Amino acid sequence: MSRCLACSAQIEPFIDFGSMPIANHFPTRAGFRDEFFFNLAVARCPSCELVQLVELVESTRMFHDHYAYFSSTSAGMVSHFAAFVDELGPVLEPHSGTRSFVVELGSNDGIMLQHLEAAGHRALGIEPSANVAEVARARGLDTHVAFFTTALAHALREAHGPADAVVGANVLCHVDAIGDVLEGVRSLLAPRGVFCFEDPYLPEILARGAFDQFYEEHVFYFRARSVAKLAARHGLELIDVAPRVVHGGSMRYTLAQAGARAPSPRVAAQLAYETSLGLDTPAPYEALAAKVSRLAVQLRETLEQLRAEGKRVQGYGATAKSSTMINYAKLGPELIESICDVTPAKQGRFSPGAHIPIVPHEQFSANYPDVALLFAWNHATEIFAKERGFEAAGGQWLTYLPEVALGSSGQ
Ligand code: TMP
Ligand code: ZN
């Protein structure tokens, strides 16, 4: 039986998707033969409440020098990070002088570092994928190519002094060695320093049935209860929570050195809310598993029906998260002719596992399909607004969360 990555208790699997490819690895035709598959299953730890993957993929298979995700491709995310930095400002207490020293874990192409610098902080990014880090460096943003570990934290403190804040967005949920990262954060933080991170919020995933958040990069699915317990195990304390709309519903958690800062009443309220949802019992997790099978069947049936009607269907946004739906529902190029995406590194390649061709956005706009299947559903507002021409030309959107639906965006 598998053990919890945080507390070593025996974990209880509640969903098993079977064999899945790496969701953020878009193979060329020549790479089909070498595609890597693993068993995607998700479990809950009944002891510390951390929801987690049962089988892990080695991190060097996921984050490397041809990592395909560039945060700055979405205008919505750029403004989100500007707001993150604005909201961090009042919480910071520089341990010396007037400038705060802020370390960002998983700084990607510098989307948040640029705002930190612009706000007058001293910002240092830590990013394991060399190609995305290079984009940040070319923009003059200080970035260190490495995985963040306790050993690195000690070296950083030696070289730069303690950090007033460590920040991370959609990063901590990717790290299986989470205990080592939290130890590192604690040793890097100044006495009044804060660790502010955000990740998809488990109760939102459950509420929407957003099982496409389940893929190899997302090792953990946090909520306030599991984060509070995790923090306590590493000399830290959860002092604030703030819900955010990105990635289909995220939570921003603020941790401080245990006892250093008074927790906001929002923490106790969030814990009580989670308990009221029954999240400390197996029922909501079993309900999600049932919904997952139903949505996959319904999406496949809808696509088969569209094919029978002779309709052209194109995917919109070759998101990593769509890999789980595509492969679990067994969708392929016979149902979805291609997927358009603005990311040059994905174009000309194929979707993981199912091998649906990925094409530039121009191949959508120059020759609209009858139906666009919205894989980038977390960017729906932005996309519907800029694709009014598609609907004006008679195009329909197909979405699958929270339910399978075909029709107008209503915009
Ligand atoms: P994300 O859901 O992980 O942010 O990934 C979004 C993907 O969708 C990324 O590959 C970029 C792509 N995309 C488009 O192709 N067009 C768009 O308008 C948006 C917002 C994203
Ligand atoms: Zn546990």
Side-chain angles (χ1 to χ4, degrees):
M1 282 315 276
S2 302
R3 302 254 157 211
C4 174
L5 290 163
C7 79
S8 302
Q10 197 164 306
I11 53 175
E12 298 174 353
F14 59 90
I15 290 189
D16 190 340
F17 294 95
S19 183
M20 286 278 153
I22 304 272
N24 237 335
H25 177 75
F26 298 85
T28 57
R29 195 179 291 283
F32 289 175
R33 277 184 312 137
D34 305 324
E35 225 179 338
F36 177 83
F37 287 81
F38 77 110
N39 181 234
L40 177 64
V42 192
R44 163 178 167 256
C45 174
S47 174
C48 77
E49 287 297 334
L50 197 51
V51 169
Q52 55 198 274
L53 294 186
V54 177
E55 185 182 324
L56 300 179
V57 173
E58 264 176 279
S59 51
T60 48
R61 272 194 189 276
M62 301 186 281
F63 311 109
H64 39 57
D65 55 8
H66 48 273
Y67 186 59
Y69 183 70
F70 292 81
S71 305
S72 299
T73 48
S74 158
M77 292 310 286
V78 174
S79 57
H80 171 72
F81 285 116
F84 191 135
V85 171
D86 283 350
E87 290 154 10
L88 181 67
V91 184
L92 293 173
E93 295 179 15
H95 66 277
S96 77
T98 52
R99 266 184 110 195
S100 290
F101 175 41
V102 182
V103 175
E104 185 186 1
L105 311 186
S107 48
N108 199 279
D109 56 13
I111 189 169
M112 177 136 69
L113 295 175
Q114 75 188 21
H115 294 299
L116 287 165
E117 284 285 336
H121 309 306
R122 184 155 66 95
L124 171 65
I126 312 294
E127 171 55 56
S129 298
N131 62 327
V132 285
E134 198 44 54
V135 174
R137 281 183 171 169
R139 296 159 76 187
L141 301 164
D142 196 3
T143 307
H144 184 80
V145 178
F147 284 99
F148 183 83
T149 58
T150 300
L152 180 64
H154 291 154
L156 292 175
R157 190 174 174 125
E158 196 73 12
H160 304 277
D164 301 303
V166 176
V167 296
N170 304 304
V171 169
L172 207 62
C173 72
H174 292 68
V175 182
D176 56 274
I178 196 161
D180 187 60
V181 167
L182 287 173
E183 285 300 321
V185 168
R186 183 176 53 104
S187 60
L188 181 56
L189 283 181
R192 298 271 301 164
V194 289
F195 178 30
C196 201
F197 70 95
E198 67 182 26
D199 279 296
Y201 184 50
L202 176 69
E204 287 289 334
I205 296 175
L206 294 169
R208 290 168 187 255
F211 69 90
D212 56 357
Q213 289 293 342
F214 295 144
Y215 62 93
E216 77 289 339
E217 286 184 13
H218 296 164
V219 178
F220 297 114
Y221 306 85
F222 297 118
R223 63 184 177 98
R225 174 80 59 204
S226 54
V227 168
K229 290 196 176 192
L230 193 58
R233 208 171 299 116
H234 296 284
L236 295 164
E237 186 175 4
L238 178 62
I239 58 156
D240 207 356
V241 287
R244 289 292 173 266
V245 294
V246 290
H247 289 291
S250 293
M251 184 64 78
R252 190 174 306 158
Y253 305 93
T254 304
L255 274 49
Q257 307 275 12
R261 291 185 182 227
S264 152
R266 286 184 287 271
V267 173
Q270 201 69 32
L271 293 171
Y273 166 72
E274 292 178 358
T275 300
S276 76
L277 295 175
L279 296 181
D280 309 331
T281 69
Y285 308 92
E286 288 163 5
L288 176 66
K291 182 168 181 185
V292 165
S293 332
R294 180 172 62 75
L295 286 181
V297 170
Q298 285 176 347
L299 182 60
R300 198 187 154 78
E301 284 175 356
T302 305
L303 289 167
E304 284 172 347
Q305 177 66 33
L306 289 167
R307 180 176 57 177
E309 292 167 10
K311 297 269 173 66
R312 280 182 56 220
V313 179
Q314 192 172 39
Y316 197 109
T319 56
K321 67 176 80 61
S322 65
S323 173
T324 301
M325 178 49 120
I326 290 173
N327 289 291
Y328 183 62
K330 300 203 170 5
L331 313 179
E334 72 291 352
L335 293 171
I336 303 165
E337 62 175 42
S338 61
I339 304 173
C340 72
D341 196 288
V342 295
T343 316
K346 295 182 183 178
Q347 296 161 0
R349 292 175 170 257
F350 294 83
S351 77
H355 302 159
I356 301 168
I358 299 169
V359 299
H361 179 261
E362 295 71 43
Q363 288 196 31
F364 170 79
S365 48
N367 182 19
Y368 286 137
D370 299 303
V371 174
L373 172 47
L374 185 63
F375 287 129
W377 58 265
N378 48 316
H379 302 292
T381 315
E382 178 178 341
I383 292 171
F384 290 157
K386 75 179 176 202
E387 300 296 1
R388 289 210 178 89
F390 166 61
E391 285 186 77
Q396 286 188 302
W397 289 102
L398 176 57
T399 51
Y400 53 90
L401 286 169
E403 291 294 337
V404 175
L406 177 66
S408 132
S409 69
Q411 296 254 320

